[in-house]
């Protein structure tokens, strides 16, 4: 048996369980941390971040269980956190299993309470501690993911809603798709295998690899109607966490706690890369790092970026480990 778990849209290694914060969650963390206190969107971003962190916890348990217990003959791949084209936009796919005899999509929910699916109107609510709360319908979300996947692969795709929390109970089940507890997921997937199917797994993997640059989903800043200028620029002190460092006497010096660093700008550049991508216009680099001297800027960027063929553009050398390690201590 051989399988591959792919986190986000980046091809991983054999039996990879992922490391640290997922790409989507990390982007929300950096965005929230860079929004000024008075920004009206900050509370909205924080709510989205809380939902993403809860979802990531359930998805982490799902990845670990599939890695440990899923038993299918031959090679198969599990893709996590995809965005596939759907009508005029994109739809998110929590988990996609591709096997020679099966394609399956899973919508993972880390929720508690009693769940009620309205099969007539396709609405959804839960009752928790006596309160009734209307929520996005997981069945509708899964249906979009299934339809997007079927169009993408031109093949029949199975769909399953997975409850990753043991504190959730289905009072009224959905109509179109099964809903199961996480513990049963490996057995459920094994039962879906159809020996009559013969799918070319290698072709599907090539298709998904090629799609990485195109199917990254909606841009987070555009979603919240934010621009680069909306965010707080500057270099973060990793001692106190404040964006309060100044370049003085060849060191970054924090005006809040007095911390000193020679490479704090590298962390700030990785924050930029998470939010905006690796392409860095030098005109904006002055603002982002809050330096005015072009010779200082050149020295700061020399080791952390590479030149490009475009005038006034450099490319950041991606290395998110420091961000993941730092923010994971805060948002674990």
């Amino acid at each position: 048996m051989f399988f591959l778990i792919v986190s986000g849209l980046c091809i991983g290694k054999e039996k990879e369980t992922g490391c640290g914060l997922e790409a989507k969650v990390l982007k929300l963390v950096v965005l929230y941390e860079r929004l000024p206190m008075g920004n009206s969107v900050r509370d909205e971003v924080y709510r989205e971040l809380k939902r993403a962190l809860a979802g990531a916890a359930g998805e982490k348990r799902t990845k670990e269980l599939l890695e440990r217990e899923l038993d299918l003959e031959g090679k198969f791949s599990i893709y996590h956190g995809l965005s596939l084209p759907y009508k005029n936009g994109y739809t998110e796919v929590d988990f996609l299993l591709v096997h020679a005899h099966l394609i399956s999509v899973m919508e993972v929910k880390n929720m508690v309470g009693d769940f009620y699916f309205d099969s007539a109107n396709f609405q959804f609510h839960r009752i928790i501690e006596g309160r009734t709360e209307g929520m996005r319908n997981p069945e509708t979300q899964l249906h979009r993911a299934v339809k997007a996947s079927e169009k993408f692969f031109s093949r029949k795709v199975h769909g399953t809603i997975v409850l990753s929390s043991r504190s959730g109970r289905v009072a009224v089940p959905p109509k179109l798709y099964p809903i199961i507890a996480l513990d049963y997921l490996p057995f459920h997937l094994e039962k879906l295998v159809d020996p009559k199917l013969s799918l070319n797994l290698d072709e599907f993997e090539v298709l998904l690899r090629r799609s990485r640059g195109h199917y990254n989903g909606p841009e987070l800043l555009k979603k919240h109607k934010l621009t680069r200028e909306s965010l707080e620029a500057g270099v973060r002190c990793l001692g106190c966490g404040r964006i309060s460092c100044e370049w003085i006497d060849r060191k970054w010096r924090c005006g809040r706690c007095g911390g000193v660093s020679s490479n704090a700008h590298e962390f700030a550049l990785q924050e930029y890369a998470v939010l905006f991508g690796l392409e860095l216009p030098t005109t904006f680099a002055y603002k982002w790092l809050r330096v005015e001297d072009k010779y200082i800027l050149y020295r700061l960027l020399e080791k952390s970026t590479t030149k490009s063929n475009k005038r006034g553009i450099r490319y950041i050398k991606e290395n998110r480990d420091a961000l993941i390690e730092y923010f994971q201590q805060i948002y674990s």
Side-chain angles (χ1 to χ4, degrees):
M1 179 183 69
F2 169 86
F3 68 97
L4 183 72
I5 287 185
V6 182
S7 182
L9 291 175
C10 299
I11 301 303
K13 298 178 181 178
E14 183 178 357
K15 296 189 178 181
E16 181 184 2
T17 57
C19 58
L21 298 172
E22 297 289 347
K24 177 183 175 182
V25 179
L26 182 60
K27 192 166 187 175
L28 278 165
V29 166
V30 175
L31 176 60
Y32 177 72
E33 290 285 336
R34 282 279 173 173
L35 280 171
M37 291 295 293
N39 192 293
S40 59
V41 180
R42 201 165 191 265
D43 288 343
E44 180 184 330
V45 172
Y46 181 66
R47 288 192 294 271
E48 185 175 351
L49 174 57
K50 283 182 65 177
R51 291 194 298 270
L53 286 167
E59 290 166 6
K60 181 176 183 292
R61 290 195 292 273
T62 303
K63 286 197 293 186
E64 291 172 347
L65 178 70
L66 292 175
E67 179 186 53
R68 186 174 64 248
E69 296 190 17
L70 185 58
D71 185 13
L72 296 177
E73 291 293 330
K75 180 182 176 183
F76 62 93
S77 298
I78 299 174
Y79 295 83
H80 169 49
L82 288 169
S83 290
L84 294 180
Y86 180 73
K87 295 187 177 179
N88 294 325
Y90 298 88
T91 192
E92 294 183 6
V93 179
D94 284 350
F95 284 90
L96 171 71
L97 167 67
V98 181
H99 180 262
H101 306 304
L102 169 67
I103 303 177
S104 181
V105 164
M106 291 146 272
E107 179 75 23
V108 179
K109 292 299 176 187
N110 186 25
M111 303 186 300
V112 300
D114 295 336
F115 310 132
Y116 295 80
F117 290 83
D118 182 345
S119 298
N121 300 308
F122 289 97
Q123 295 178 322
F124 172 78
H125 72 272
R126 70 172 175 177
I127 296 179
I128 179 171
E129 297 178 351
R131 304 187 314 272
T132 300
E133 298 180 352
M135 303 177 69
R136 291 182 66 189
N137 191 342
E139 186 175 26
T140 304
Q141 292 174 271
L142 176 62
H143 191 60
R144 289 195 187 96
V146 168
K147 291 302 178 186
S149 301
E150 287 183 336
K151 185 174 182 180
F152 188 82
F153 291 108
S154 299
R155 295 289 190 280
K156 167 69 178 175
V157 174
H158 292 272
T160 306
I161 302 170
V162 181
L163 298 179
S164 62
S165 172
R166 293 190 176 93
S167 299
R169 187 181 75 88
V170 181
V172 178
K175 180 179 180 180
L176 299 179
Y177 299 97
I179 183 167
I180 63 171
L182 175 60
D183 292 341
Y184 186 69
L185 180 59
F187 309 107
H188 172 75
L189 293 172
E190 290 160 15
K191 288 171 62 177
L192 293 177
V193 170
D194 183 359
K196 297 177 183 177
L197 287 177
S198 182
L199 305 175
N200 190 323
L201 183 58
D202 292 334
E203 284 186 8
F204 290 157
E205 288 187 349
V206 169
L207 183 63
L208 284 162
R209 284 174 188 269
R210 287 176 178 171
S211 75
R212 288 192 300 167
H214 303 285
Y215 305 141
N216 289 326
E219 173 57 46
L220 186 61
L221 272 76
K222 289 181 181 178
K223 175 183 176 182
H224 292 286
K225 298 180 181 179
L226 295 168
T227 65
R228 297 181 184 190
E229 287 71 24
S230 307
L231 307 185
E232 186 176 359
V235 173
R236 187 184 305 278
C237 171
L238 299 187
C240 67
R242 301 284 186 170
I243 303 174
S244 54
C245 288
E246 292 185 56
W247 184 256
I248 302 173
D249 296 332
R250 301 195 176 196
K251 296 286 184 181
W252 290 106
R253 303 179 188 274
C254 178
R256 301 295 293 264
C257 72
V260 178
S261 170
S262 61
N263 60 355
H265 62 283
E266 294 181 1
F267 192 94
L269 291 173
Q270 293 304 314
E271 289 183 275
Y272 175 95
V274 166
L275 291 173
F276 307 115
L278 300 179
E279 186 174 290
L280 175 67
T282 52
T283 52
F284 191 76
Y286 286 104
K287 298 178 183 178
W288 189 251
L289 299 181
R290 286 183 179 168
V291 297
E292 297 178 357
D293 190 300
K294 66 179 181 179
Y295 298 106
I296 292 175
L297 182 68
Y298 176 81
R299 289 199 301 271
L300 292 174
L301 297 182
E302 190 174 12
K303 292 183 179 180
S304 305
T305 65
T306 58
K307 294 181 180 179
S308 75
N309 294 327
K310 302 177 185 177
R311 182 177 176 82
I313 297 291
R314 297 186 74 92
Y315 288 100
I316 298 169
K317 297 176 183 177
E318 189 174 23
N319 181 12
R320 298 183 179 182
D321 290 349
L323 266 67
I324 292 170
E325 182 179 355
Y326 177 79
F327 287 124
Q328 196 165 241
Q329 297 175 25
I330 303 171
Y331 293 94
S332 58

